[in-house]
Amino acid sequence: MRDLATKAGHGRAILVNTCAVTAEAERQARQAIRRAARENPDTPIIVTGCAAQIAPEKWAALPGVTRLIGNAEKLKPEAWAPEAPPAPVTDIMAARETAAHLVTEFAGRARAFVQVQQGCDHRCTFCVIPYGRGPSRSVPIGAVVEQVRALVAHGYREVVLTGVDITSYGPDLPGAPSLGQMARRLLALVPELPRLRLSSLDPVEIDDDLWRLIENEPRLMPHLHLSLQHGDDLILKRMKRRHLRADALAVARRARAVRPDIAFGADLIAGFPTEDEAAFARCLELVEEMQLAFLHVFPYSERPGTPAARMPAVPVKLRKERAARLRAAGAASAARFYAGRLGQEEAVLFEGEDRGHTAHFAPLRLLGGGAAPGELRRVRVTGAEESGLLAEAA
C-alpha cells in the first residue's frame, strides 16, 4: 500500500490501516486518526482495513479523512490514483481472488512476510473478520515462489507465510494443494531460503505434508503458533471452533514426538460469554499442559452483529482479571522454556544490534551488542530475564 500510494503521488499522505478484531483496536485507530488530523491539519488521511470495510460511513466521517479505500480495492493501483473519484467500499463477500503483490522491502523489519491466503470461510461466534476480509482464497504456488525468491535476493534470511486462516490454503486452486504441499514445494524451489516460519495455525487443519515438514525439514522453524482461543470444550463449542481440548493436546504430543524441542504459542480469549470459574480454570490449565511458551491473550470484546454478542456476558472487570491471570501463567511457562535453553547454542535473526529472535521465536538480547539488523548469527545462551534470553557470541 505504501508503494502504491507513493507511485500515485500520495507521498505526503497519512495511511491508516484499521483493525476490527477488538473494540480496543478500533478505539486506537480512531484515536490515531484524530491525533494525526490535529498534528497534520494540511495532510490528507487515507483510511483502509477491516474496520473501514465493515463500517465505511463511520470512518469516512472522522476529521481529516479525505479518502476511504476498501479491503478489496486497497491493493489495486487505480484505487490510489489522485484523480480517481472516491469509490464506494465494495462487497468483500464477492471477492474471489487474492493477487500476489511483489513486495521486496519491509521498512524496519528483519524478516519478510508473504501473504499466501486471504479471507475466511468459518464463522466463529466472536469474530467479524470474515466480514472485513471476505471468503477464503489462495495465492498460486508459483506466485509465492516468485515472491520468496525476490525477498531472498534482497537479503532476507527468514520468510513468514501469513494469511487470515492459512491452514485453509489451497481448495480454490487447481489441484487443491494443501498448505503443507505448498510449503514443501516452496522450500524445494527456493533452496537458498534459510528459514521459513508459519503464522497462526488451526490445530485440526495441519495436513500430512505439513506434519512431514515439521518432522524432517530443519529450515521450517521449530515454533508453531496455534489458534486455540480456549481450553474448555463447552466454551469451544459456543465459540464454534473446530477443535476440542483433546485435539489441541494431541497436536502438542504429536509435534513433540517428532520434534522434541518444538515451542508453541497460542491465541487465548479470556472472559468469553458464559465462561464460569471452572471453564476458565481449564483454559488456565491448558497453558501448563501444552507448555505454551508464547501467549497472545485477549479479554473478550463484543463485536456487534456476532452471535457471541447476544450471549450472557462476563463482567468486563472479570474479563480483564482473567486475562491478567492467563498472561501470568504464560509468563511462568515462558520462564520454564527459557530455563531449558540455558547453555544452548542458538541461531538468532537480529532485528537490531543486540536484539533478535531464536528459531523458536524466543526474544534474545546479545550482551555487548555488535550484531547487524537482518544478520543470522550463532550465539550461546548464558541467562534469561523476564523479557527473554540473554546470550553472548558463540
Side-chain angles (χ1 to χ4, degrees):
M1 285 189 284
R2 182 170 60 236
D3 187 48
L4 290 171
T6 302
K7 288 177 179 175
H10 294 292
R12 291 291 302 160
I14 295 169
L15 171 60
V16 181
N17 191 30
T18 62
C19 176
V21 72
T22 62
E24 177 63 14
E26 290 195 20
R27 187 193 69 78
Q28 290 179 4
R30 286 194 298 271
Q31 186 180 57
I33 291 169
R34 291 191 176 102
R35 183 171 60 247
R38 283 195 310 271
E39 296 174 355
N40 307 273
D42 300 322
T43 305
I45 298 175
I46 303 172
V47 179
T48 185
C50 289
Q53 174 70 41
I54 293 167
E57 300 84 4
K58 181 170 71 175
W59 293 87
L62 288 173
V65 174
T66 58
R67 181 176 298 204
L68 201 77
I69 301 179
N71 271 346
E73 294 78 38
K74 69 183 181 184
L75 298 180
K76 296 178 179 177
E78 59 270 22
W80 296 88
E83 66 276 7
V89 172
T90 60
D91 180 7
I92 195 70
M93 292 302 176
R96 290 295 177 266
E97 293 183 1
T98 291
H101 297 275
L102 196 62
V103 180
T104 56
E105 191 268 335
F106 292 82
R109 301 280 185 176
R111 58 184 54 79
F113 301 83
V114 175
Q115 185 190 83
V116 300
Q117 181 273 341
Q118 179 63 277
C120 185
D121 291 336
H122 302 300
R123 292 295 180 269
C124 298
T125 59
F126 54 82
C127 186
V128 294
I129 297 309
Y131 306 102
R133 298 290 186 93
S136 180
R137 49 221 192 267
S138 312
V139 176
I141 293 175
V144 175
V145 169
E146 179 189 7
Q147 169 86 349
V148 173
R149 277 185 180 144
L151 288 163
V152 174
H154 277 74
Y156 287 97
R157 314 299 303 282
E158 180 175 307
V159 166
V160 185
L161 301 185
T162 71
V164 175
D165 181 28
I166 65 169
T167 42
S168 68
Y169 178 90
D172 54 320
L173 296 176
S178 66
L179 176 65
Q181 287 174 312
M182 182 269 284
R184 175 172 53 79
R185 290 175 63 183
L186 171 62
L187 287 164
L189 291 167
V190 192
E192 64 272 30
L193 173 67
R195 290 163 60 135
L196 182 68
R197 199 178 292 279
L198 304 173
S199 63
S200 186
L201 303 174
D202 189 309
V204 294
E205 292 185 336
I206 301 176
D207 63 88
D208 289 341
D209 276 276
L210 188 48
W211 278 118
R212 282 190 283 272
L213 286 178
I214 292 168
E215 181 176 4
N216 300 314
E217 178 51 77
R219 291 189 293 156
L220 181 67
M221 295 294 92
H223 164 252
L224 298 180
H225 188 85
L226 302 176
S227 179
L228 297 181
Q229 310 307 347
H230 213 275
D232 177 76
D233 282 349
L234 183 56
I235 296 295
L236 288 167
K237 289 177 181 177
R238 287 173 176 164
M239 287 178 164
K240 209 174 177 182
R241 298 295 296 164
R242 293 167 297 288
H243 71 277
L244 296 174
R245 180 192 186 88
D247 299 314
L249 290 166
V251 165
R253 281 195 302 270
R254 182 174 178 179
R256 289 198 170 98
V258 298
R259 202 161 183 178
D261 72 329
I262 200 163
F264 288 100
D267 297 324
L268 292 173
I269 295 174
F272 185 81
T274 76
E275 180 192 75
D276 58 17
E277 193 60 37
F280 174 70
R282 282 187 282 275
C283 189
L284 204 58
E285 289 161 3
L286 189 68
V287 176
E288 186 167 345
E289 285 186 59
M290 289 186 66
Q291 300 171 50
L292 300 174
F294 308 110
L295 295 188
H296 290 172
V297 175
F298 303 87
Y300 170 72
S301 178
E302 286 89 351
R303 303 283 71 207
T306 60
R310 300 190 295 272
M311 297 178 187
V314 172
V316 171
K317 183 180 178 183
L318 187 54
R319 298 179 210 175
K320 292 181 178 178
E321 289 173 358
R322 289 177 178 173
R325 290 166 65 189
L326 270 178
R327 292 190 184 105
S333 185
R336 288 191 292 271
F337 177 80
Y338 298 153
R341 304 309 297 174
L342 295 178
Q344 300 289 320
E345 270 199 17
E346 303 277 3
V348 176
L349 180 68
F350 281 92
E351 289 104 32
E353 67 171 4
D354 68 342
R355 294 186 183 274
H357 283 81
T358 70
H360 300 94
F361 211 62
L364 179 142
R365 182 161 63 90
L366 180 63
L367 300 173
E375 179 184 359
L376 194 55
R377 180 194 283 200
R378 296 200 71 81
V379 301
R380 184 175 299 281
V381 177
T382 57
E385 54 190 357
E386 188 176 343
S387 59
L389 299 169
L390 301 172
E392 59 187 24

